[in-house]
Amino acid sequence: MFLWWNKSDSPTRSFHWFCANLGQKEVKKLSPRLPQHTVSPGPPTVRFGGIFELRPRARELYRDGIRLKLRPQPFRVLEILVENAGEVVTREEFQKQLWPSDTFVDFEHGLNSSVKSLRAVLGDCVQEPRYIETIPKIGYRFIATVQAAEDSGVHLLPAEGVTPETQAAPQATPGASFAAAPAQSLRRWIAAAALLAAALLSVTGYWWRHSRVPAFQPTHVMMAVLPFENLTGDPNQEFVTDGLTEEIISRLGQADPAKVSVIARTSVMQYKHSSQQIQAIAQKLGAQYLLKGTLRRDLENVRITANLIRVSDRVPVWSHEYQRASSSLNEVQQEIAVETADAIFLALGDQKRAESVHAAPAISQNQSDAYLHYLKGRYFWNRRTEQGFELAIREFQSAIDKQPAYAQAYAGLADSYNLSASYGFVSPQTFMPKARVAALRAVELNESLAEAHTSLAAVAQNYDWDWSTAEKEYRRAIELNPNYATAHHWYAECLALQGRFDEAFAEIGKARELDPLSLIIAADYGAILYFSRQYGPAIQQFHTVLEMDPDFSRAQMITYAYVEEGRFPEAVQVVDRWKEEKNAPWGWPMSGYIYGRWGKQGEAQQAFQETMKLNRAKRVEPTSLILLSIAMGNRKEALDWLEKACAERTPNINAIKVDPTYDPLRNEPRFHAVLKQIHLE
């Protein structure tokens, strides 16, 4: 029996929900002499959005058969929204059901945090909601269609102590019973009978209307392209297999984003040379299909095998071996992407071919050298180190020299310049103008290239402070390739820096879904939590990253969250380790900031002197000196450094609108002048 409701049929609830909402006390009042029955506990499993499955009895949420992590409180909020699909659930109603009346402040924070978590898990957006619609100052409404995933299993069960035999046993004669019953009992009998009859008629009619609804079939899958195995015997050919993997991911991601999402490179590369079982890998990645492959290559020929596996039963859906001239490597990977997409569409019962994959521009055979330089460039760029960026710039430039109209190489060059400056390896004024030129050239050569628009957006955000252009370019990139995790990731940061946190959480949630094992995406999720002043969750998220890589630099932002929580000894411990082991230039100014906030002026003064000594030998970034001045109580000096950082376009200066460390300066006119200069006020 189906249980399905939305806005149009919400007044018609099943007998299951009628009994559950009526409650046992009311049932007893209505029919005191009727043998008592109970309803099978808990609501049935339901689906929504075509890909999500809510299992209230087990308190679990699934996407395409993969269980999602969801804390109890957000799960209960989702359950209430789904139960009232199509109707507004007010904040007061949430409070009555989930929080005691004497904890209003915690309730507000808890509800907002729960809805943010849900939007991140569902990949929802505040501006263009698909699941949860915000009703300003009132509450929320679940707007997706909700449908039963299976027979709701509503059965009347005998109450305790009532057996089938006693139910069937004859009672006193009807005449005697009614004669003995008072008028009030008679009215209760009639009312109970009427309500039960109405409910049964409703359920029967509903079953008759919907009993022919076809069983749900998933229309969207998540797949992962595992790193192709290098069987050439030459470790120097790793860049070929890594590049091949990345390019197939990119092209598959554009095949049909509405039906196939593809896990990003960062996550799958963690399984390079892995001996883990397919099921274990797929579970961690949240994938229903895996593509595995090998590469053999010599001077003249390349041989590639590809195998598409359905994870649920480990059945090979499709496999093929390609033998081509080495100069045809680019064409081979395009063939693999097309045929893999076709195989998945066929598995979903869709005959559509992957036209958009064919649209990817191919490089002719005589340009194969340029393509190999491009693969090397991406290989080095993904290292995210100073030397890696230097080598990437060299390789991308070599690719452009051999093929001047190579849009992907220009996009890679722009990304290398951009991150070199953003990571503080070179002056932004040296590299960011070059990044802009390369990104504009990439867009000019191929307007449909998502990577090019993302590169241009990053320059607009990090150097030009042109937020409207950045947003336009990010949205265009996502429109072109919804599976491009980097576009969602950087767009989330762009939104967060403007204080648009609901939208930022939705975008970072999508990035995490597409690249679930990426440390930088996970760390930046923590940064957005910190900027939105959710310090406890931010600390927890940074801990998660540090458990995977204790030396991951972005996660050292945990020190700022510790300070805001007043956990100064833990903050000092983190910074001291980095000063001793990593010789980090921000170590001394950060120590001064912590001690100043802690009220230990002697230690803060010592850190200040060490910082000034360090600044004479090796330049310290103005943003570090701003924090040190704030901690020492020198607002004028802090504002001087702030203006200098703005003039130099120092990395991270565009975070001052949301970063809590700048709170002591927010009443200063000079601070607001800087905000206006970077177009955040």
Side-chain angles (χ1 to χ4, degrees):
M1 183 184 300
F2 282 104
L3 172 64
W4 176 31
W5 66 90
N6 56 28
K7 188 172 182 180
S8 61
D9 62 23
S10 58
T12 305
R13 303 286 181 163
S14 73
F15 184 45
H16 178 104
W17 286 99
F18 163 76
C19 291
N21 292 330
L22 187 63
Q24 293 299 315
K25 292 182 179 179
E26 287 74 7
V27 172
K28 290 179 181 178
K29 289 179 182 178
L30 289 171
S31 52
R33 295 191 181 184
L34 197 65
Q36 295 300 302
H37 298 80
T38 59
V39 182
S40 300
T45 297
V46 295
R47 292 187 186 274
F48 59 88
I51 56 175
F52 291 101
E53 184 176 287
L54 182 69
R55 303 179 184 178
R57 293 172 185 167
R59 306 194 71 78
E60 295 172 346
L61 178 66
Y62 287 77
R63 176 184 175 128
D64 290 327
I66 301 298
R67 184 179 176 182
L68 304 176
K69 292 183 179 179
L70 195 60
R71 292 180 290 109
Q73 196 174 79
F75 183 91
R76 183 60 185 131
V77 170
L78 176 62
E79 193 175 28
I80 292 171
L81 286 169
V82 170
E83 287 176 7
N84 296 275
E87 300 174 357
V88 177
V89 182
T90 66
R91 302 181 74 84
E92 291 75 15
E93 289 171 332
F94 277 116
Q95 184 178 13
K96 289 177 183 178
Q97 295 195 55
L98 300 179
W99 288 275
S101 58
D102 59 348
T103 57
F104 180 76
V105 174
D106 288 341
F107 146 70
E108 288 287 343
H109 174 76
L111 180 59
N112 293 339
S113 178
S114 294
V115 172
K116 287 178 181 177
S117 297
L118 287 175
R119 282 181 170 140
V121 168
L122 300 176
D124 207 7
C125 176
V126 176
Q127 300 299 111
E128 300 176 2
R130 292 179 293 169
Y131 302 105
I132 302 174
E133 178 186 15
T134 300
I135 310 300
K137 300 182 180 180
I138 298 178
Y140 301 94
R141 173 165 48 207
F142 197 80
I143 58 176
T145 298
V146 179
Q147 181 176 359
E150 58 187 4
D151 191 321
S152 61
V154 178
H155 303 288
L156 290 178
L157 305 175
E160 185 178 355
V162 181
T163 66
E165 291 76 12
T166 58
Q167 278 187 287
Q171 303 294 321
T173 61
S177 296
F178 281 113
Q184 184 177 10
S185 294
L186 179 60
R187 288 194 297 271
R188 287 177 177 172
W189 272 98
I190 295 171
L195 284 170
L196 290 170
L200 287 170
L201 283 172
S202 173
V203 173
T204 302
Y206 198 87
W207 173 84
W208 184 83
R209 290 196 307 271
H210 296 282
S211 60
R212 296 183 182 180
V213 175
F216 174 83
Q217 291 184 350
T219 58
H220 186 278
V221 299
M222 181 72 75
M223 75 164 297
V225 180
L226 296 183
F228 273 59
E229 191 175 354
N230 174 20
L231 300 182
T232 64
D234 182 3
N236 293 324
Q237 295 296 308
E238 290 291 322
F239 78 91
V240 179
T241 51
D242 288 1
L244 180 68
T245 304
E246 185 168 1
E247 285 297 288
I248 291 175
I249 289 172
S250 176
R251 297 189 183 193
L252 268 174
Q254 299 175 63
D256 192 339
K259 294 189 176 182
V260 181
S261 292
V262 187
I263 301 295
R265 175 199 181 280
T266 313
S267 290
V268 297
M269 279 299 169
Q270 299 190 36
Y271 295 101
K272 188 172 181 178
H273 308 309
S274 173
S275 60
Q276 292 189 41
Q277 296 295 317
I278 287 175
Q279 261 80 1
I281 296 174
Q283 184 176 9
K284 289 183 180 179
L285 294 174
Q288 289 86 51
Y289 288 84
L290 294 180
L291 181 68
K292 298 181 66 178
T294 63
L295 178 140
R296 291 178 172 84
R297 179 172 178 258
D298 55 33
L299 292 176
E300 297 181 356
N301 299 297
V302 61
R303 186 170 69 182
I304 297 174
T305 63
N307 298 278
L308 179 64
I309 302 168
R310 185 169 58 217
V311 175
S312 59
D313 50 12
R314 286 179 285 188
V315 170
V317 176
W318 163 84
S319 63
H320 196 70
E321 182 175 287
Y322 303 84
Q323 296 192 47
R324 301 285 191 279
S326 290
S327 59
S328 302
L329 185 60
N330 185 56
E331 286 76 6
V332 174
Q333 71 182 20
Q334 183 163 306
E335 286 183 57
I336 295 173
V338 170
E339 295 183 15
T340 302
D342 286 346
I344 291 178
F345 294 146
L346 287 172
L348 294 174
D350 188 348
Q351 301 296 322
K352 175 182 176 181
R353 294 192 61 81
E355 294 90 350
S356 59
V357 179
H358 289 287
I363 304 172
S364 61
Q365 292 186 6
N366 62 355
Q367 297 160 348
S368 61
D369 286 346
Y371 179 64
L372 291 177
H373 282 296
Y374 171 75
L375 292 184
K376 286 183 180 180
R378 279 299 176 191
Y379 177 80
F380 290 128
W381 182 81
N382 280 307
R383 290 183 177 179
R384 296 295 206 277
T385 63
E386 184 173 6
Q387 184 185 28
F389 289 136
E390 291 174 358
L391 293 172
I393 290 170
R394 186 185 69 187
E395 294 297 336
F396 287 134
Q397 188 59 58
S398 295
I400 292 168
D401 291 342
K402 293 181 179 296
Q403 174 55 29
Y406 201 165
Q408 288 96 330
Y410 275 107
L413 189 61
D415 289 342
S416 301
Y417 285 137
N418 178 22
L419 291 193
S420 289
S422 297
Y423 284 19
F425 297 139
V426 295
S427 166
Q429 293 168 316
T430 300
F431 267 9
M432 291 303 278
K434 293 182 179 181
R436 185 196 298 111
V437 170
L440 287 170
R441 180 60 175 156
V443 172
E444 179 185 355
L445 289 169
N446 187 356
E447 200 282 332
S448 64
L449 186 64
E451 292 91 335
H453 290 278
T454 303
S455 301
L456 187 57
V459 175
Q461 169 189 316
N462 297 325
Y463 189 71
D464 298 331
W465 304 323
D466 184 348
W467 304 97
S468 60
T469 295
E471 181 164 6
K472 181 187 75 173
E473 295 298 329
Y474 282 132
R475 293 178 72 87
R476 177 58 177 154
I478 292 169
E479 178 188 1
L480 291 168
N481 185 1
N483 286 320
Y484 188 32
T486 300
H488 291 284
H489 173 200
W490 291 358
Y491 185 29
E493 180 184 85
C494 177
L495 292 165
L497 295 177
Q498 299 175 71
R500 297 161 59 181
F501 292 115
D502 282 350
E503 298 165 87
F505 280 117
E507 289 299 325
I508 200 70
K510 184 63 176 177
R512 295 176 74 198
E513 175 188 333
L514 292 169
D515 206 349
L517 303 183
S518 167
L519 292 181
I520 186 60
I521 291 176
D524 277 350
Y525 174 52
I528 296 173
L529 287 168
Y530 166 73
F531 288 145
S532 64
R533 298 168 190 260
Q534 300 181 58
Y535 305 124
I539 290 171
Q540 184 177 2
Q541 179 63 23
F542 287 132
H543 268 305
T544 300
V545 177
L546 292 171
E547 286 172 2
M548 293 185 284
D549 183 355
D551 294 331
F552 196 72
S553 59
R554 181 64 163 170
Q556 308 311 313
M557 277 190 70
I558 194 172
T559 54
Y560 295 95
Y562 277 147
V563 169
E564 297 302 326
E565 287 270 280
R567 297 164 63 175
F568 301 110
E570 292 166 275
V572 168
Q573 186 177 12
V574 173
V575 175
D576 283 350
R577 185 180 79 85
W578 272 71
K579 281 194 300 186
E580 293 174 7
E581 298 180 10
K582 307 298 179 183
N583 195 26
W586 52 266
W588 278 113
M590 191 64 201
S591 291
Y593 174 69
I594 296 169
Y595 284 122
R597 289 286 302 272
W598 197 354
K600 294 180 175 287
Q601 293 303 315
E603 290 88 343
Q605 185 62 39
Q606 180 186 359
F608 175 80
Q609 293 173 357
E610 292 292 338
T611 300
M612 293 300 101
K613 186 188 304 182
L614 179 65
N615 194 39
R616 288 191 292 270
K618 180 180 180 180
R619 184 176 181 273
V620 177
E621 279 197 355
T623 48
S624 295
L625 298 172
I626 295 169
L627 298 185
L628 184 57
S629 299
I630 289 174
M632 301 296 293
N634 299 326
R635 292 191 182 184
K636 181 182 180 304
E637 187 173 330
L639 290 166
D640 290 342
W641 285 116
L642 179 65
E643 290 170 348
K644 182 177 179 59
C646 181
E648 295 180 357
R649 282 176 157 73
T650 300
N652 301 322
I653 191 64
N654 54 7
I656 64 173
K657 179 176 181 176
V658 293
D659 192 335
T661 57
Y662 292 90
D663 285 356
L665 305 179
R666 297 198 185 279
N667 293 328
E668 299 288 341
R670 291 171 65 189
F671 181 83
H672 288 277
V674 173
L675 274 178
K676 289 180 181 178
Q677 192 170 345
I678 60 180
H679 308 127
L680 285 174
E681 188 174 87

